[in-house]
């Protein structure tokens, strides 16, 4: 006779009812071959006494096992492990807790694996000079959550909580169409718009739909690593084009177009990533003309449109495009918070339809409650008020940060917009500076994504005091 | 002299300030070639009088244009359109409002386009017999939103609102690990778990990482169209295996494995989609043994684990797997609401790491606030209480629905679990029935996804009265 006390451990404090704990333990031992097919189990009364539980509990466990097909109760004969289960050779019981943990590897399709860097491992640092993120403490989360709660109590909204459209909740498509036409000088209808989880999903969907393996893709150098990886993942061949203080070198692009068939160009004209320079109006227009002449698509990533300090935001290239070359991508993650995932893509409607279809495959649809609430925040002006407020705050933070930074042995230009300063280290390798900084409680990127002994230092998420503390630590790391 | 009154339309009611409206209009006309490079613009006083606005407004507009590089102000000479802009031939102004709308097509990579069916176009129907969705009116949205609000006001949580991990917020990974180990008989650590947007994202990530183009993939017939499309999109070759009243035909799988190298098997053992049958314990064990012997991976989609009525939910195959073959995928969309996007994937940690990397490319990360709030709902028992409540409700709804359905000329088995009845139409083509039903206010799937003159009729989202009204309409459509 097997020792059932040893096979079955009962924890009366656990959330799982005791009868299920018994059933699960018996299934496990049947599966492991300890309880072989066809063998008889003790009677319920005996088992109850062995385990120190009420007989009804054991009866419930056996009913459960019978319902699931693991045991058979034969009238006047007893309870048996089902004999139609495959024969198993017993396993060492020590497997129990380690069998999953032991699976440390799985044979993967390495072609699909993406070496995506984690640039925000803050760890336990007291201060973070981030990549250019907003201050989430200023985000209108209260208004958003209040509206989500209101909508969730409206029965007419509840059908949106059931299955919905992959392109987004209609009320948000409508509200965002008006907002984009009004603020970005676009002339779109809702069918040319879809809601995404952020700029990255827009880049992914567009890349998948436009790039065929081997297609040539123009990107900036230095450029945005995440976009570059996304294009490579879709099979694109990257052609890095130098970026100077007016943005992408358009002459170099024209030379390239004369030599090879370019399929796609990725550009952040408002504040180039990582250098934050603005693409000049002249180059914007030449770029659009090259796109029309050489028939390549343009992904215009306008991830921080609102944050411009020299003037009002510069209207996107999409507002000037009349050859239909531009896919305009934006995000609300910089307006709300990076971890509130909401963005958009503007494109001809056949591309939007295809992107919505592809989106079904990757995450089915967006978050309807949040989309619905955001629609209200657009139409009642809360988004505009929030943007107006934080642009002033971030401009002051930029100025304060740059004046602090100017006391260090680094080179930079005061950015006209965006949320980070592109900072070159004059006499110290940035990787060493970052390593020293980490030891004294300051996290910053080590610049390895850029290869220019430079990195982005975000100023928007820190108030004056925090900036002063962070720069004091950076000064120490530089000394 | 150009007629500036005609070129610039001002709307004092619009949200965009008037000076920006003027600036945008001038940029547009520069871009269109109406205002050529190098030409002189009227003085600000004159322009103000022509447009009927304050002179300061025009000065602000010109400052804006200068800051953006479109015009040059020459001291003692006047204001000129910048002459370093490319020469443009004038465009017909009628282009203005139609230029985007005219872009009705974009050259796409058709290989990547996914013919993903929209199965929930409810339109204006009064009643919907859906695919098996929960009743969102019962979802614990209040508790979830209350907790989101509480967290958003806790400063320690705010760093999660900045950039976070692609695998999910740690508190949810921890809480869900405990919950899954407790309820599903798993023995995992948080490193073997990632948070997704729902089952579909898990299927997508696993398919991308496991399938090489040309790999053989086993699916059920009838089966889940969305999973099938996802495998095909990754390059997989589908091998449909018949499903009978005990689930997938395991003998047929073994025969297939002897002939070809199978890479992946997709199975919904708890309640097969679309037929809702449960895979028998015997077949579960044989399937795991085949996976170990022929070294194929198993995606176990357990999308409605909680909704089982015959007995307690049957523990997943993942809990019995000790060869490391099973990728266990689940969703909370059926627990909360389909449009609250939250799911999970359990797998060996090297697959989880790779999937988190790939997830960065498609949507960067999840929604940290919702993930954090959900962690609380797991640890304080709210999820368990909710599940216990709705399982009772759905069981009553299943019984009521099946008794109504039995009066019609259809064939079905009462499902042991899940939220839909697999319904065969005896004497009428289901497509015709669905078309007739739509005309009288009842939406149901036309069965075209299944090819068995059958469809799924969801019972969980309708209360008794709604079920009675819906079935009365279905009876009419059948008559």
């Amino acid at each position: 006779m097997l020792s059932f006390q040893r096979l079955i451990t009962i924890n009366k404090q656990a959330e799982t009812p005791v009868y299920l704990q018994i059933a699960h333990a018996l299934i496990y031992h049947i599966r492991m071959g300890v309880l072989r097919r066809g063998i008889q189990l003790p009677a319920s009364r005996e088992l109850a006494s062995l385990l120190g539980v009420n007989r009804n509990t054991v009866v419930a466990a056996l009913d459960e096992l019978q319902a699931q097909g693991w045991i058979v109760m034969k009238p006047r004969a007893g309870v048996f492990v089902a004999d139609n289960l495959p024969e198993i050779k017993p396993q060492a019981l020590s497997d129990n807790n380690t069998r999953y943990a032991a699976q440390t590897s799985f044979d993967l399709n390495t072609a699909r694996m993406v070496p995506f860097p984690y640039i925000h491992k803050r760890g336990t640092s007291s201060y973070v000079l981030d990549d250019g993120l907003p201050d989430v403490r200023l985000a209108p989360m209260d208004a958003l959550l209040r509206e989500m709660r209101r909508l969730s109590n409206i029965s007419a909204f509840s059908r949106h909580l059931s299955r919905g459209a992959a392109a987004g909740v209609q009320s948000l498509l409508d509200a965002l169409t008006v907002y984009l036409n009004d603020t970005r000088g676009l002339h779109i209808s809702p069918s040319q718009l879809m809601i995404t989880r952020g700029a990255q999903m827009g880049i992914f969907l567009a890349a998948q739909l436009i790039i065929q393996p081997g297609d040539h893709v123009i990107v900036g150098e230095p450029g945005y690593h995440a976009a570059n990886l996304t294009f490579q993942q879709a099979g694109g061949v990257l052609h890095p084009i130098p970026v100077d203080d007016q943005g992408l070198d358009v002459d170099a692009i024209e030379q390239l177009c004369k030599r090879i068939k370019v399929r796609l160009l990725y550009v952040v004209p408002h504040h180039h990533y990582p250098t934050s320079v603005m693409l000049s109006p002249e180059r914007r227009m030449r770029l659009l003309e090259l796109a029309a002449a050489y028939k390549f698509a343009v992904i215009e990533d306008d991830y921080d449109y609102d944050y411009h300090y020299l003037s009002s935001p510069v209207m996107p290239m999409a507002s000037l495009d009349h050859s239909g070359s531009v896919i305009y991508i934006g995000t609300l993650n910089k307006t709300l918070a990076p971890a509130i995932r909401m963005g958009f893509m503007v494109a001809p409607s056949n591309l939007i339809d295809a992107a919505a279809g592809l989106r079904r495959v990757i995450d089915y649809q967006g978050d309807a409650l949040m989309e619905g609430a955001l629609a209200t925040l657009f139409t009642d002006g809360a988004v505009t008020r929030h943007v107006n407020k934080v642009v002033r705050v971030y401009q002051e933070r930029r100025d304060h940060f740059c004046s602090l930074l100017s006391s260090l042995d680094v080179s930079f230009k005061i950015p006209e917009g965006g949320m980070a300063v592109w900072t070159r280290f004059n006499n110290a390798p940035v990787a060493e500076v970052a390593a020293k900084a980490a030891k004294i409680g300051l996290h910053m990127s080590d610049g390895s994504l850029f290869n220019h002994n430079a990195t982005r230092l975000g100023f928007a998420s820190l108030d004056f005091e925090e900036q002063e503390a962070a720069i004091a630590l950076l000064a120490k790391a530089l000394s």
Side-chain angles (χ1 to χ4, degrees), chain A:
Chain A
M1 189 78 218
L2 285 159
S3 166
F4 279 87
Q5 297 102 307
R6 277 192 42 228
L7 290 184
I8 302 172
T9 317
I10 290 169
N11 173 5
K12 291 188 176 169
Q13 264 66 57
E15 213 179 309
T16 307
V18 170
Y19 84 93
L20 269 187
Q21 294 182 36
I22 296 171
H24 291 172
L26 289 172
I27 291 171
Y28 180 69
H29 295 305
I30 292 170
R31 176 66 188 87
M32 287 295 141
V34 176
L35 299 176
R36 293 173 172 239
R37 66 179 188 181
I39 72 159
Q40 185 166 12
L41 296 178
S44 56
R45 192 182 306 272
E46 189 189 346
L47 199 50
S49 127
L50 282 170
L51 299 175
V53 299
N54 191 293
R55 191 188 154 205
N56 291 336
T57 307
V58 172
V59 169
L62 296 178
D63 283 348
E64 185 70 31
L65 291 172
Q66 186 180 33
Q68 296 190 14
W70 292 100
I71 62 169
V72 183
M73 297 197 196
K74 299 183 185 168
R76 280 180 305 275
V79 179
F80 299 84
V81 174
D83 56 10
N84 58 357
L85 302 172
E87 188 65 66
I88 315 253
K89 61 172 204 296
Q91 303 276 333
L93 265 183
S94 63
D95 259 10
N96 187 345
N97 288 301
T98 53
R99 68 188 195 284
Y100 234 99
Q103 295 156 28
T104 49
S105 84
F106 204 96
D107 184 20
L108 299 178
N109 179 350
T110 51
R112 294 258 172 64
M113 288 179 69
V114 179
F116 213 88
Y118 287 71
I119 52 176
H120 293 286
K121 286 193 216 123
R122 88 173 262 164
T124 55
S125 297
S126 311
Y127 296 96
V128 179
L129 288 169
D130 60 35
D131 193 51
L133 299 178
D135 188 340
V136 296
R137 296 166 296 192
L138 305 176
M141 295 306 302
D142 253 15
L144 182 70
L145 291 167
R146 213 165 34 234
E147 181 61 13
M148 285 172 72
R149 209 155 166 195
R150 191 183 72 81
L151 287 175
S152 77
N153 287 318
I154 294 178
S155 67
F157 191 82
S158 74
R159 74 182 187 87
H160 290 296
L161 290 176
S162 204
R163 284 280 151 84
V169 166
Q170 194 61 43
S171 61
L172 181 56
L173 291 173
D174 293 342
L176 195 54
T177 297
V178 171
Y179 183 82
L180 292 176
N181 285 344
D182 195 25
T183 58
R184 263 79 159 175
L186 302 182
H187 299 269
I188 58 166
S189 71
S191 67
Q192 289 153 335
L193 176 66
M194 81 174 272
I195 309 301
T196 64
R197 295 285 184 185
Q200 183 59 38
M201 181 181 275
I203 296 170
F204 175 79
L205 293 173
Q208 289 284 319
L209 288 167
I210 289 173
I211 297 172
Q212 314 258 12
D215 275 352
H216 298 288
V217 179
I218 293 178
V219 297
E221 167 50 39
Y224 184 39
H225 51 90
N228 291 353
L229 279 169
T230 309
F231 302 138
Q232 288 175 306
Q233 231 246 338
V237 178
L238 299 187
H239 294 270
I241 292 286
V243 173
D244 61 25
D245 60 359
Q246 291 193 73
L248 278 175
D249 180 342
V250 183
D251 289 331
I253 292 171
E254 187 163 15
Q255 291 311 313
L256 188 66
C257 287
K258 285 179 179 158
R259 287 197 297 113
I260 59 169
K261 170 79 190 117
V262 172
R263 176 72 176 138
L264 176 68
L265 177 142
Y266 171 79
V267 62
V268 192
H270 206 188
H271 314 116
H272 179 75
Y273 186 98
T275 65
S276 291
V277 301
M278 195 173 92
L279 191 66
S280 69
E282 181 209 348
R283 293 195 185 178
R284 286 168 185 243
M285 289 168 62
R286 282 196 52 208
L287 212 48
L288 286 172
E289 272 147 19
L290 290 175
Y294 292 99
K295 297 197 194 323
F296 58 79
V298 174
I299 292 182
E300 178 177 24
D301 183 350
D302 203 10
Y303 67 90
D304 58 1
Y305 174 81
D306 293 311
Y307 302 118
H308 200 69
Y309 314 116
L310 177 73
S311 62
S312 292
V314 177
M315 282 198 297
M317 287 170 55
S319 73
L320 305 173
D321 171 38
H322 56 108
S323 68
S325 312
V326 177
I327 296 153
Y328 181 63
I329 284 171
T331 177
L332 304 167
N333 309 150
K334 295 288 198 293
T335 310
L336 299 166
I340 303 297
R341 308 297 302 156
M342 199 71 77
F344 58 86
M345 175 160 71
V346 171
S349 51
N350 77 318
L351 178 64
I352 293 293
D353 289 346
L358 185 57
R359 192 245 175 98
R360 288 256 169 214
V361 175
I362 67 174
D363 83 337
Y364 213 97
Q365 67 175 80
D367 194 311
L369 194 57
M370 201 173 280
E371 291 180 7
L374 207 53
T376 308
L377 266 58
F378 273 111
T379 49
D380 74 7
V383 171
T384 305
R385 285 193 301 278
H386 170 71
V387 166
N388 290 342
K389 182 182 84 178
V390 298
V391 165
R392 282 196 301 275
V393 173
Y394 292 164
Q395 179 162 11
E396 288 168 9
R397 288 184 180 180
R398 176 197 67 167
D399 295 342
H400 191 71
F401 189 78
C402 288
S403 80
L404 293 169
L405 203 57
S406 62
S407 67
L408 304 185
D409 183 21
V410 297
S411 307
F412 64 94
K413 272 193 165 179
I414 298 176
E416 294 175 7
M419 296 191 273
V421 179
W422 176 243
T423 309
R424 293 168 189 275
F425 288 78
N426 299 335
N427 294 303
V430 54
E432 281 177 26
V433 176
K436 267 176 86 178
K439 282 189 194 139
I440 53 176
L442 172 70
H443 175 77
M444 55 180 276
S445 155
D446 66 0
S448 57
L449 297 171
F450 308 120
N451 269 327
H452 286 258
N453 202 35
T455 195
R456 283 165 68 86
L457 300 179
F459 55 79
S461 59
L462 303 176
D463 64 26
F464 286 6
E465 262 180 61
E466 291 162 342
Q467 287 185 355
E468 287 155 19
I471 293 290
L473 290 173
L474 180 55
K476 224 185 239 180
L478 270 167
S479 68

